[in-house]
Amino acid sequence: MGLVNIGETSSVGKRQQIFISSALAVILMGSFCINCWGNDFALSLHPDESKKVRFISGDKKTDFLHPQLIIKLGKLSSHIASASSKEEIVKAGRTSTALMGSFAVLFTFGLARQFLSAPTSLFAASLTAVAPGIVIHSHYLKEDIAL
């Protein structure tokens, strides 16, 4: 009888883990989609983006007044996307910033999970995924979301 209860408990636990993992994956994908949605706007809307694009493309040497993580991630994403024009470079950089916004959601879940139940942690992650500050800053090639 004890073995049956252990088996039932472990199968329920596995089902709960699968549900939590699936829900978190949906939240992360939704966060990334929200962060990427409409990222094809003009380069001139934010003054810092054009300077970062010049750094990423190699037209200008970095001045270390901008965090290097964003420049390096921008170069990596531009290389992966085979971006050549300034518009393609900024779009690839915005995508990497959107990915960092989704990592903030994952970080929120992990931090909340240390202190809260799994459903509450999922709720915290979903609130972070749609938080206006994170979504807005994830649309620009800026270091704000990484901070």
Side-chain angles (χ1 to χ4, degrees), residues 69-85:
L69 176 64
I70 299 301
I71 307 295
K72 300 296 182 188
L73 282 175
K75 282 185 180 184
L76 178 65
S77 61
S78 296
H79 179 70
I80 290 171
S82 300
S84 56
S85 69

Side-chain angles (χ1 to χ4, degrees), residues 113-141:
R113 194 65 188 103
Q114 297 296 316
F115 304 104
L116 305 170
S117 66
T120 308
S121 300
L122 286 171
F123 183 67
S126 63
L127 287 178
T128 304
V130 297
I134 291 178
V135 172
I136 290 168
H137 289 296
S138 293
H139 276 74
Y140 296 103
L141 179 56

Side-chain angles (χ1 to χ4, degrees), residues 23-116:
L24 182 61
V26 167
I27 291 169
L28 289 172
M29 286 187 286
S31 170
F32 184 70
C33 288
I34 290 170
N35 293 342
C36 285
W37 185 31
N39 270 358
D40 55 351
F41 52 90
L43 175 61
S44 61
L45 287 180
H46 200 287
D48 284 351
E49 281 188 331
S50 58
K51 189 173 186 181
K52 286 184 177 70
V53 167
R54 286 193 302 269
F55 290 150
I56 291 169
S57 65
D59 292 346
K60 186 175 181 182
K61 196 170 184 142
T62 58
D63 59 6
F64 297 102
L65 296 175
H66 296 276
Q68 293 300 301
L69 176 64
I70 299 301
I71 307 295
K72 300 296 182 188
L73 282 175
K75 282 185 180 184
L76 178 65
S77 61
S78 296
H79 179 70
I80 290 171
S82 300
S84 56
S85 69
K86 289 184 179 187
E87 290 79 20
E88 291 174 346
I89 291 171
V90 76
K91 191 169 183 181
R94 288 174 182 161
T95 303
S96 67
T97 306
L99 185 63
M100 284 193 298
S102 296
F103 282 140
V105 173
L106 183 62
F107 176 76
T108 300
F109 175 79
L111 184 63
R113 194 65 188 103
Q114 297 296 316
F115 304 104
L116 305 170

